[in-house]
Amino acid sequence: MAKQSNGHAPSKPSSKQSGVSLSYQAIIAMSLLALQFGIQPIVTQQFTSKKIIKSTVIFMQEVVKLIIGVIGISLGKTGWKEVTSGWTFLSWIRLALLPATIYLIQNMCSLLAYQNLDAITYNVLNQTKTLSAALCCYLLLKKKQSTVQMLALLLLLMAALVMEGVLPMDVLLPSYWLNGKQGTTNGGDLSETLSSLSPRHFSHGVLPIMVASFLSGLAGAITQKSLQAGNRNALLFTIELCVASLLLLAASFATSDDGKQIAQRGFFSEWNAFTLIPILTNSAGGILVGLVIKYAGTVRKGFALIFGILISGIFQSLLDEDKALSKEDVVGGMLAALSLWMHATHPYVVAATTTTKQQQQQRKQQQTIHASNGATNGTTNGTTSKAVRKGGRKSRKED
């Protein structure tokens, strides 16, 4: 089997690419990502000063991810020569700089929305990124979702809304939908809420977070195409993405408010030794995101993040007696587990198309032609043999 340019040479599509089931690499990566996502808010609040310049933290996270990627390739079985074989500057621009720019715009939109929306509205609209990931994977990778998988995505969204406390527990009961008064009350409250919203709420809140969710799915689909369809090494792609992000961040320092703060207060203002803890965990999460997308896909990354919300609730209940694990967290986690099982075990199956039937008919026609040609050749050969034998007998008589 010939080696491919990046040091990986799978000849057959694996389960991680076909989406039929979750491989053990996907399960491990998703579990670790859920754990990291769950503990990240806790360690960030515990060890990061509120007065710290946020861009410096993001910058150092990219630096740490870059170092982890370099060490991982250096100590791995696949060396630098095989990993970087076929690498070009144009491929870096196309595969790394583009998603890095999209992520930067996404962060700007998220920040704008966070400043103009309440926490519940922000979290609810932010959960639509899983649906946008499925849409972008269909548009870019032609990866379709089966009917059960689409229901699983909606169930995952419902799990997130239940865990966030947006949807009441009663919404899961038939009596909630059969109660006409309840529906009327909710409809009246919704109308009053919509009428009280200002245009700025939509233009500077709802619209930016919806754009950010779509860009998250778009960047994830581009990343998945690079890691799966292009079979790019996950650590090499992480390094490429980090370099692109560092260049964009460094350029933004020249015009941003954080850049002015760095010039006045210094890069490491409000830093201490413990500040490195959330940076290390967040950097590890960045590496895990690449592995999850490579082995499970960007849609399944959303499942891992929902489980991370449940893990966060568990840790908070253990660390703070006043924040016990709620029944919403438990039910939301069960719904997320059910949706993951539905999505993993009911993949989209390509049905027999008209093109396939036409190909079968063409093969039958070709077989018929070959058979008739064989019969014709056999008749011709038989006639020739008879003529040769007659010619031989005639020659012997003349002699």
Side-chain angles (χ1 to χ4, degrees):
M1 184 183 295
K3 290 184 178 180
Q4 294 184 354
S5 60
N6 53 7
H8 299 273
S11 58
K12 297 180 180 180
S14 60
S15 61
K16 71 180 185 303
Q17 293 174 335
S18 61
V20 175
S21 62
L22 289 174
S23 64
Y24 73 92
Q25 297 102 323
I27 295 175
I28 293 175
M30 290 178 66
S31 301
L32 292 176
L33 179 60
L35 177 61
Q36 180 274 329
F37 187 78
I39 66 174
Q40 189 62 44
I42 300 174
V43 296
T44 300
Q45 294 176 2
Q46 186 72 22
F47 300 112
T48 303
S49 172
K50 294 182 179 180
K51 297 180 180 180
I52 200 170
I53 304 175
K54 295 179 176 58
S55 295
T56 61
V57 177
I58 298 175
F59 190 90
M60 289 306 299
Q61 287 173 358
E62 298 300 323
V63 172
V64 173
K65 282 192 292 184
L66 178 63
I67 295 174
I68 294 175
V70 171
I71 294 175
I73 295 178
S74 301
L75 300 180
K77 296 180 180 180
T78 307
W80 281 97
K81 186 176 181 180
E82 295 183 9
V83 169
T84 58
S85 177
W87 183 91
T88 62
F89 180 74
L90 292 178
S91 68
W92 171 75
I93 293 178
R94 178 169 46 90
L95 300 178
L97 186 60
L98 177 59
T101 305
I102 294 175
Y103 280 128
L104 179 62
I105 300 174
Q106 174 202 342
N107 292 332
M108 295 172 60
C109 293
S110 298
L111 179 60
L112 179 61
Y114 193 77
Q115 293 172 342
N116 293 276
L117 293 176
D118 58 272
I120 293 179
T121 304
Y122 178 89
N123 289 329
V124 170
L125 296 178
N126 194 38
Q127 297 305 327
T128 58
K129 62 176 61 177
T130 304
L131 301 179
S132 67
L135 174 63
C136 292
C137 283
Y138 170 73
L139 295 176
L140 295 182
L141 303 176
K142 304 303 179 184
K143 287 185 175 293
K144 297 181 179 180
Q145 303 286 320
S146 65
T147 303
V148 176
Q149 285 182 322
M150 288 188 286
L151 292 176
L153 294 177
L154 294 177
L155 185 61
L156 180 67
L157 178 60
M158 180 179 293
L161 299 182
V162 169
M163 296 174 72
E164 293 289 348
V166 178
L167 285 180
M169 294 283 293
D170 297 338
V171 77
L172 303 175
L173 301 177
S175 59
Y176 179 86
W177 303 98
L178 296 177
N179 190 345
K181 294 182 179 180
Q182 181 70 31
T184 304
T185 303
N186 287 343
D189 293 341
L190 181 61
S191 301
E192 294 177 1
T193 302
L194 291 177
S195 62
S196 63
L197 297 179
S198 63
R200 181 180 176 83
H201 179 87
F202 177 79
S203 61
H204 289 67
V206 176
L207 183 60
I209 191 59
M210 295 301 292
V211 172
S213 298
F214 176 78
L215 292 178
S216 175
L218 178 60
I222 295 174
T223 301
Q224 181 174 341
K225 186 175 182 180
S226 302
L227 294 176
Q228 290 187 355
N231 203 25
R232 206 171 190 82
N233 183 278
L235 292 178
L236 175 62
F237 184 78
T238 298
I239 294 173
E240 293 178 297
L241 202 60
C242 289
V243 172
S245 299
L246 289 172
L247 291 176
L248 292 173
L249 282 171
S252 68
F253 288 157
T255 57
S256 65
D257 292 335
D258 283 356
K260 297 177 181 178
Q261 291 291 326
I262 292 173
Q264 295 175 0
R265 298 162 49 189
F267 189 90
F268 294 102
S269 176
E270 300 295 334
W271 279 60
N272 55 53
F274 294 105
T275 307
L276 292 175
I277 296 177
I279 289 179
L280 289 173
T281 56
N282 206 326
S283 301
I287 301 292
L288 290 171
V289 166
L291 294 175
V292 168
I293 292 178
K294 181 176 180 64
Y295 292 112
T298 186
V299 175
R300 300 254 173 92
K301 182 190 72 173
F303 290 87
L305 299 184
I306 299 301
F307 282 113
I309 298 176
L310 174 62
I311 292 175
S312 181
I314 294 175
F315 274 101
Q316 286 182 354
S317 64
L318 295 175
L319 297 176
D320 191 349
E321 296 180 355
D322 297 332
K323 295 182 179 179
L325 188 66
S326 64
K327 60 181 181 180
E328 286 80 8
D329 292 332
V330 176
V331 173
M334 295 174 63
L335 291 177
L338 175 61
S339 64
L340 177 60
W341 175 81
M342 292 171 58
H343 197 276
T345 57
H346 296 81
Y348 177 80
V349 178
V350 180
T353 60
T354 305
T355 304
T356 304
K357 294 179 180 179
Q358 290 178 351
Q359 291 176 352
Q360 293 176 352
Q361 292 177 356
Q362 290 177 357
R363 282 196 294 267
K364 290 181 179 180
Q365 291 177 356
Q366 291 176 355
Q367 292 174 356
T368 304
I369 293 173
H370 289 320
S372 60
N373 289 339
T376 304
N377 292 335
T379 304
T380 304
N381 292 336
T383 304
T384 305
S385 299
K386 291 179 180 179
V388 170
R389 287 195 296 270
K390 289 181 179 180
R393 288 193 297 266
K394 184 177 180 181
S395 299
R396 285 193 295 271
K397 289 179 179 180
E398 292 177 352
D399 291 342

